[in-house]
């Protein structure tokens, strides 16, 4: 059973940030804006949160959970601000969303590395001390089976991810804002005729996307490393695949994230799985598994988004 616990715990570490970022992509997409800038937003969020974490730990300002939550708040704000560049280009300037997203991906990675090298006298990597892993949650960790799966050697961000999944489902499917967001993506002319501000609603969708992607970038780095190197290993693009595979639905996105998280676990920790390690295949083979799985699944399951592009839509601009 120990190998099962290990695989499940590792899958959570990879699946939770992937799910959070994919949920962010969903909000933007359902509002009518394709956010290809997720990779850059994740990098900016991770950089901002880790940079603050490094400063706070060096100067002994904060520690433990207060430090983690403060860093997540900073990552969320950084992601929000950076995503507004994409929102302005796609919504106000009617720019091509693919070009805008690609440009911000390049800008995000370059900006993070430039600032890190400038502030740290040429050093690109930003280190931190991982003091956030919970050995065992009192009471819950002693529950048979479930305690070992969820409440030992865990991170509070895992439970935050589950809360965000439930919140995203409720916000999108059960609130007036969610109805407005979906209507602006599916039929902006009708939404405008009903008195809904299409511009403001789409800005809100992109803003949620930026907040979640920024937090997801930080959550991705913390469990797997002790330094930020200026990259999130293509997780922003993988989150887009998860969103499409999940058919733009919160609960399906959650399931898709866990599938891709499992493939990532296999590629990352294959040497710790006895029957896989005995195969003696090249390292490259295992590292390709998540991306090959992405291509295969998208080839059979991808659909064009029902949300129209934000540019070229003849709705009343007076209701911005």
């Amino acid at each position: 059973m120990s190998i099962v616990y290990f695989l499940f715990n590792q899958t959570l570490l990879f699946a939770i940030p992937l799910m959070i970022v994919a949920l962010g992509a969903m909000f933007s997409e359902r509002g009518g804006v394709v956010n290809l800038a997720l990779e850059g937003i994740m990098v900016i969020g991770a950089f901002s949160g880790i940079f603050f974490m490094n400063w706070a730990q060096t100067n002994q300002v904060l520690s433990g959970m207060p430090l983690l939550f403060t860093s997540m708040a900073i990552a969320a704000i950084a992601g929000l601000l950076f995503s507004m560049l994409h929102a302005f280009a796609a919504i106000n300037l009617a720019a091509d969303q693919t070009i805008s997203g690609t440009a911000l991906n390049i800008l995000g990675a370059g900006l993070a590395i430039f600032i890190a090298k400038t502030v740290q006298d040429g050093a690109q990597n930003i280190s931190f001390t991982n003091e956030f892993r919970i050995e065992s949650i009192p009471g819950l960790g002693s529950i048979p089976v479930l305690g070992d799966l969820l409440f030992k050697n865990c991170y509070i961000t895992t439970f935050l991810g589950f809360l965000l999944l439930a919140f995203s489902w409720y916000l999108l499917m059960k609130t007036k804002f969610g109805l407005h967001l979906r209507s602006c993506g599916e039929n902006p002319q009708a939404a405008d005729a009903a008195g809904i501000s299409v511009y403001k609603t789409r800005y809100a969708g992109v803003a949620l996307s930026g907040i979640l992607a920024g937090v997801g970038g930080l959550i991705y780095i913390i469990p797997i490393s002790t330094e930020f190197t200026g990259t999130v290993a293509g997780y922003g693009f993988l989150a887009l695949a998860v969103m499409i595979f999940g058919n733009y639905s919160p609960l399906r996105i959650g399931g898709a994230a866990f599938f891709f998280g499992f493939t990532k676990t296999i590629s990352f920790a294959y040497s710790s799985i006895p029957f896989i390690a005995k195969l003696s295949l090249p390292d490259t083979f295992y590292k390709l598994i998540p991306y090959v799985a992405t291509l295969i699944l998208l080839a059979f399951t991808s659909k064009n988004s029902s949300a129209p592009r934000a540019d070229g839509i003849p709705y009343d601009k007076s209701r911005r």
Side-chain angles (χ1 to χ4, degrees):
M1 286 294 289
S2 59
I3 189 64
V4 175
Y5 296 144
F6 170 77
L7 288 175
F8 187 80
N9 288 331
Q10 290 297 309
T11 298
L12 285 178
L13 296 183
F14 289 112
I16 292 299
L18 190 60
M19 180 181 70
I20 291 173
V21 179
L23 289 172
M26 176 198 68
F27 280 113
S28 183
E29 178 81 20
R30 293 299 289 265
V33 179
V34 181
N35 192 353
L36 292 179
L38 292 173
E39 183 84 0
I41 297 172
M42 286 185 72
V43 169
I44 291 296
F47 165 75
S48 302
I50 297 298
F51 186 83
F52 172 78
M53 197 175 291
N54 173 275
W55 174 82
Q57 290 178 333
T58 301
N59 295 279
Q60 299 182 345
V61 177
L62 285 173
S63 63
M65 292 304 161
L67 173 59
L68 177 60
F69 284 110
T70 304
S71 298
M72 285 195 293
I74 291 173
I77 293 171
L80 168 64
L81 296 176
F82 197 68
S83 69
M84 288 298 97
L85 296 175
H86 182 60
F88 180 74
I91 300 172
N92 291 84
L93 302 182
D96 186 289
Q97 296 170 24
T98 302
I99 295 175
S100 172
T102 302
L104 289 178
N105 286 334
I106 297 171
L107 175 63
L111 186 63
I113 293 173
F114 172 76
I115 295 176
K117 286 187 174 182
T118 301
V119 174
Q120 298 187 133
D121 299 323
Q124 175 179 324
N125 297 352
I126 305 174
S127 60
F128 67 98
T129 302
N130 187 347
E131 54 186 82
F132 314 113
R133 188 168 67 90
I134 303 172
E135 293 289 341
S136 179
I137 298 177
L140 297 177
S142 59
I143 300 175
V145 182
L146 195 61
D148 289 319
L149 286 175
L150 290 174
F151 305 118
K152 288 184 178 179
N153 298 318
C154 59
Y155 289 84
I156 194 69
T157 52
T158 297
F159 308 106
L160 174 64
F162 289 128
L163 288 175
L164 286 175
L165 176 61
F167 173 76
S168 297
W169 175 83
Y170 180 80
L171 182 64
L172 187 67
M173 300 299 180
K174 298 296 181 180
T175 66
K176 182 186 294 185
F177 169 78
L179 179 62
H180 288 180
L181 185 69
R182 286 181 282 133
S183 64
C184 289
E186 294 168 7
N187 196 328
Q189 294 89 349
D192 181 69
I196 299 171
S197 174
V198 177
Y199 272 54
K200 290 179 181 178
T201 304
R202 285 181 165 172
Y203 259 98
V206 177
L208 284 171
S209 179
I211 290 171
L212 292 176
V215 172
L218 177 63
I219 291 176
Y220 168 73
I221 295 295
I222 289 175
I224 66 170
S225 179
T226 56
E227 62 180 10
F228 174 70
T229 60
T231 179
V232 290
Y235 242 52
F237 300 109
L238 197 55
L240 285 172
V242 168
M243 177 195 67
I244 296 170
F245 182 48
N247 202 24
Y248 315 99
S249 170
L251 298 182
R252 291 182 179 180
I253 286 173
F258 275 85
F259 170 77
F260 284 102
F262 179 73
T263 63
K264 189 73 173 178
T265 297
I266 298 299
S267 70
F268 188 79
Y270 64 90
S271 60
S272 300
I273 307 172
F275 67 92
I276 293 181
K278 289 179 181 178
L279 297 176
S280 301
L281 295 173
D283 294 352
T284 307
F285 175 84
Y286 298 107
K287 295 184 183 301
L288 285 174
I289 289 176
Y291 307 102
V292 173
T294 301
L295 292 174
I296 293 174
L297 288 173
L298 290 182
F300 289 101
T301 63
S302 62
K303 298 178 181 179
N304 290 329
S305 172
S306 59
R309 293 169 61 88
D311 50 322
I313 295 173
Y315 53 79
D316 186 1
K317 292 185 179 180
S318 64
R319 290 192 176 136
R320 294 185 182 183

